[in-house]
């Protein structure tokens, strides 16, 4: 049984484990947010987590609670448990927290650590919109290029197991792979740990991925996401009362439209 609840306290150093050859045996950096809603153009980050998983499975967790500066809708609180009063009383000013999140994320990826995020296009786009809102450089601006390499277990699942019926939420994939833990999903750090465990399980089920170079795997996911989005958009276009189109951009869009959809 795999568990996503076991991890070290924030600030603890990962245990020294000799790395094995190949990117899949090296460190991985997981990222997730919980938010005020699903509109990347207008919604805000409430909590965020970065988890550095070292070779051997030891994880170092860093979390942030932000005061988003707006009311947190009851629907969002019902998902992640953070109320407006909680955030105002205990949350940090966004500008400082967002700078820390972006700086750590960029430093790790520059050091060669792949970034792992479930539905990366949402979290990374929202992070960039939030950074720009406070006059801070976006993640691509800090790199001087789009963020890469990124591993997205949702995109991998659609690509590698596209014929499987049913939903593809993080909890669904945890159930599919028999991943269990003591923490509740929809808490940013627990979601990251679960996401890393799902990626581990995908690598067991699809071992050929371990031999794919990261730049090639990143490009393959971008293509797989675009193909999926184009199919979805064709279906929505055929439905006069359907939902607005989804973005074909992955792992993040450069900007967000007025309808909140990520744009390439």
């Amino acid at each position: 049984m795999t568990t996503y609840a076991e991890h070290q306290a924030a600030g603890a150093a990962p245990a020294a484990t000799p790395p094995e050859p190949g990117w899949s045996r090296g460190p991985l950096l997981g990222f997730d947010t919980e938010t005020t809603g699903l509109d990347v153009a207008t919604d805000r980050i409430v909590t965020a987590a970065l988890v550095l998983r070292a070779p051997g499975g030891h994880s170092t967790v860093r979390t942030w609670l932000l005061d988003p500066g707006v009311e947190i809708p009851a629907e969002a609180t019902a998902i992640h448990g953070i109320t407006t009063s909680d955030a105002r009383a205990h949350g940090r000013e966004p500008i400082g927290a967002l700078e820390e999140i972006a700086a750590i994320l960029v430093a790790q990826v520059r050091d060669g650590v792949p970034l792992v995020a479930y539905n990366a296009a949402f979290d990374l786009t929202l992070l960039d919109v939030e950074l720009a809102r406070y006059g801070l450089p976006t993640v691509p601006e800090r790199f001087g290029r789009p963020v890469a390499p990124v591993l997205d277990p949702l995109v991998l699942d659609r690509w590698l197991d596209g014929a499987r019926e049913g939903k593809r939420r993080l909890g669904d994939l945890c159930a599919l792979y028999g991943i269990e833990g003591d923490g509740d999903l929809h808490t940013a750090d627990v979601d990251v740990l679960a996401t890393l465990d799902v990626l581990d399980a995908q690598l067991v089920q699809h071992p050929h991925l371990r031999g794919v170079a990261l730049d090639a795997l990143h490009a393959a996911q971008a293509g797989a996401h675009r193909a999926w989005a184009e199919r979805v958009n064709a279906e929505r276009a055929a439905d006069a009362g359907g939902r607005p189109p989804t973005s074909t951009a992955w792992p993040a869009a450069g900007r967000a439209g007025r309808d909140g959809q990520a744009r390439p």
Side-chain angles (χ1 to χ4, degrees), residues 103 105-113 139 141-145 148:
L105 187 156
V106 169
Q108 290 291 336
V109 175
R110 276 183 175 153
D111 283 346
V113 181
V139 172
E141 288 170 345
R142 292 164 193 256
F143 279 120
R145 58 171 175 80

Side-chain angles (χ1 to χ4, degrees), residues 152-168:
D152 186 334
L154 173 59
V155 173
L156 289 171
D157 183 64
R158 288 173 178 154
W159 177 36
L160 299 169
D161 199 5
R164 191 184 77 251
E165 296 182 356
K167 295 181 179 180
R168 298 175 188 267

Side-chain angles (χ1 to χ4, degrees), residues 149 159 211-223:
W159 177 36
V212 180
L214 277 171
D215 57 350
L217 188 53
H218 181 98
Q221 290 173 96

Side-chain angles (χ1 to χ4, degrees), residues 116-118 151-158 173 195 198-199 202:
V116 182
Y118 197 89
L151 298 166
D152 186 334
L154 173 59
V155 173
L156 289 171
D157 183 64
R158 288 173 178 154
L173 266 66
T195 296
V198 167
L199 178 61
Q202 289 174 321

Side-chain angles (χ1 to χ4, degrees), residues 41-55:
T42 59
D43 279 307
R44 312 294 180 94
I45 294 173
V46 178
T47 64
L50 286 168
V51 177
L52 181 64
R53 179 165 288 181

